[in-house]
Amino acid sequence: MAHALNANSGYSRSGSGREAGKDRRVRMASNVIITGGAGYIGAHVCVEALSAGARVLIVDNFANSSPKAIERIREIAGESDKVEMLEADLVDDATADILAERAGRFGADAAVHLAGLKAVGESVAEPARYYETNIRATLTLIKALDAVGARRIVFSSSATVYGEANQSPVNEDGRTAPTNPYGRTKLFIEEILRDLAASAAGWKICNLRYFNPVGAHASGRIGEDPKGVPNNLFPFIAQVAVGRRDSLSVFGDDYPTPDGTGVRDYIHVVDLARGHVAALDYLARDDAAAATDVNLGAGRGYSVLEAVAAFRRASNRAIPVSIAPRRAGDIAEIYADASRATDLLGWRAERTIDDMCADHWRWQCENPMGYAEE
Ligand code: NAD
Ligand code: WQD
């Protein structure tokens, strides 16, 4: 099946005309290294960057992803000559030189850095592995970029850096107090990148603090493919809806929220991916700050039960739930003040919770075992 994207016009099957007439061409960062580009969010970033006119060099060791994602990125974008792949472990010392050599030939001018480990519970059990992987991978990328004089980095940070220290909506000046090793790797990497930006002229950093990314590309060809039992709400709901699991455990219904269940700011992964294109554009501007933190969220919260109701509407499936105890480390409510993203990057989330559920559901139905089938 061919799923061609017209540059700048969006995916043809979406039919919404939402993107018509918009020029999302990446200004100067036209050759972009995308670490973790085979992963859930990275694959969508690749598609949106390609759609905006960039070439991409994906760096991934497939630790938590599949080479099939690369085929599907090429298939959706219809621009396979603009997609290069380097299979490499960014924790490995040798990778800095290999990547520098490749990045030089590629003509890299910027990077989006998504590669890393992301499971909160695993980070509590194995903190050293999390610090080593996430921080070392960042240092390897910095070395390679420095060697080729590509000094613009968009980093995948997380709203998890705020911990439970703030009232929602939370803005970027909110207190950072992550509650687990994973979250601390994100905060420490932000700090490393800020130090880098302060160290020499030319470095431009944008730390994107994602809220809760969900959904999938409208083609149904790329989406989230968690290994084992999903940790996150949407993949779990989707697996219940498709019949892979019996019911959803709702972790707590006695929070101080309207219906007692946890409230989060869910953001469609395609909106999120477009936020990266906007950030690359911003960093290419002469007046861009050396280092900036930007929330990427929809700016409103939905409860667990509201998310389940939306998924029922999209899937027309029953989705049984049972109330379970609170999950350790969870907070009652968090959603973004996303105004900086609009003011600075000209970006805002466009897709609704119903879009998120419909697209997540399409991906789940068409790929019930993720990338494993076919
Ligand atoms: P993912 O696991 O699907 O993608 C991460 C990618 O990095 C994978 O393809 C994996 O193979 C690759 N990778 C891991 N270690 C590597 C290494 N040593 N060398 C090379 N490649 C390596 O995760 P995702 O959900 O797409 O998240 C992408 C980024 O966004 C991560 O940094 C994550 O912490 C961050 N983030 C994710 C969420 C979320 O809810 N998904 C929220 C906030 C921030
Ligand atoms: C959402 C809501 C749960 C599963 C996590 C990470 C964070 C970020 C995004 C990377 C909460 C409830 C969940 C289930 C449930 N990742 N829930 N039953 O916890 O907001 O954020 O992912 O940076 O760092 O902590 O997302 O999807 O796990 O949970 O009731 O089976 O759904 O209690 O209220 P969370 P989530």
Side-chain angles (χ1 to χ4, degrees):
M1 232 192 316
H3 298 279
L5 254 180
N6 303 325
N8 301 326
S9 67
Y11 181 66
S12 53
R13 246 173 64 182
S14 75
S16 68
R18 189 185 279 120
E19 300 87 10
K22 271 197 188 164
D23 183 5
R24 293 183 299 102
R25 194 158 291 277
V26 180
R27 259 175 253 225
M28 289 176 63
S30 50
N31 298 328
V32 186
I33 296 173
I34 303 192
T35 74
Y40 168 46
I41 298 167
H44 291 84
V45 173
C46 289
V47 166
E48 294 307 317
L50 287 159
S51 161
R55 292 169 64 234
V56 303
L57 169 58
I58 298 169
V59 185
D60 205 300
N61 66 350
F62 302 117
N64 193 39
S65 53
S66 163
K68 285 221 175 71
I70 309 295
E71 290 169 24
R72 303 242 180 130
I73 291 165
R74 292 191 163 119
E75 174 193 304
I76 295 170
E79 310 222 41
S80 53
D81 58 322
K82 291 191 172 172
V83 182
E84 295 192 22
M85 173 76 213
L86 172 63
E87 182 172 350
D89 183 348
L90 285 160
V91 174
D92 192 335
D93 275 342
T95 299
D97 287 345
I98 296 166
L99 177 55
E101 191 273 328
R102 240 341 246 284
R105 278 195 283 132
F106 175 70
D109 39 36
V112 180
H113 180 39
L114 301 111
L117 303 175
K118 63 163 184 176
V120 171
E122 200 176 63
S123 81
V124 174
E126 301 175 73
R129 185 160 77 93
Y130 268 67
Y131 288 116
E132 174 162 39
T133 305
N134 290 0
I135 290 172
R136 209 180 258 272
T138 305
L139 297 174
T140 302
L141 176 67
I142 291 171
K143 270 188 213 159
L145 292 177
D146 197 27
V148 298
R151 295 193 153 186
R152 298 199 285 273
I153 306 177
V154 174
F155 171 58
S156 297
S157 189
S158 168
T160 200
V161 299
Y162 295 117
E164 48 195 329
N166 302 278
Q167 282 277 103
S168 286
V170 53
N171 72 30
E172 295 82 354
D173 299 323
R175 205 160 76 77
T176 48
T179 55
N180 55 69
Y182 164 71
R184 280 186 281 276
T185 71
K186 291 291 168 190
L187 187 58
F188 296 165
I189 293 167
E190 285 192 359
E191 304 269 10
I192 289 169
L193 294 174
R194 281 185 211 110
D195 285 343
L196 186 71
S199 69
W203 286 104
K204 294 280 176 73
I205 306 298
C206 187
N207 294 313
L208 295 179
R209 294 176 173 168
Y210 311 163
F211 279 68
N212 289 58
V214 299
H217 193 261
S219 64
R221 299 298 283 163
I222 53 173
E224 188 166 13
D225 180 19
K227 294 194 165 76
V229 181
N231 295 312
N232 297 119
L233 181 65
F234 266 66
F236 204 105
I237 293 177
Q239 291 191 7
V240 174
V242 84
R244 260 175 85 177
R245 301 188 188 276
D246 292 338
S247 80
L248 171 78
S249 297
V250 175
F251 297 145
D253 68 347
D254 56 352
Y255 284 108
T257 59
D259 66 17
T261 66
V263 167
R264 296 291 183 275
D265 184 335
Y266 297 100
I267 171 161
H268 195 297
V269 66
V270 172
D271 281 335
L272 186 80
R274 291 182 177 190
H276 294 69
V277 174
L280 286 167
D281 268 350
Y282 170 72
L283 292 185
R285 279 168 37 179
D286 290 338
D287 61 347
T292 321
D293 308 322
V294 180
N295 286 342
L296 289 186
R300 70 152 288 181
Y302 287 93
S303 73
V304 176
L305 294 180
E306 286 175 319
V308 171
F311 214 97
R312 283 191 185 119
R313 287 196 297 274
S315 64
N316 216 11
R317 296 288 171 98
I319 316 183
V321 303
S322 60
I323 305 302
R326 292 181 178 191
R327 184 172 64 178
D330 269 356
I331 58 177
E333 170 179 76
I334 183 166
Y335 56 92
D337 173 343
S339 53
R340 185 179 288 177
T342 304
D343 296 346
L344 216 56
L345 310 183
W347 172 94
R348 70 173 76 238
E350 295 177 346
R351 288 162 177 74
T352 65
I353 188 100
D354 291 322
D355 297 329
M356 300 177 209
C357 294
D359 290 338
H360 209 111
W361 179 235
R362 183 180 304 106
W363 156 255
Q364 182 69 56
C365 289
E366 294 181 8
N367 309 267
M369 303 305 286
Y371 293 109
E373 271 182 350
E374 215 185 49

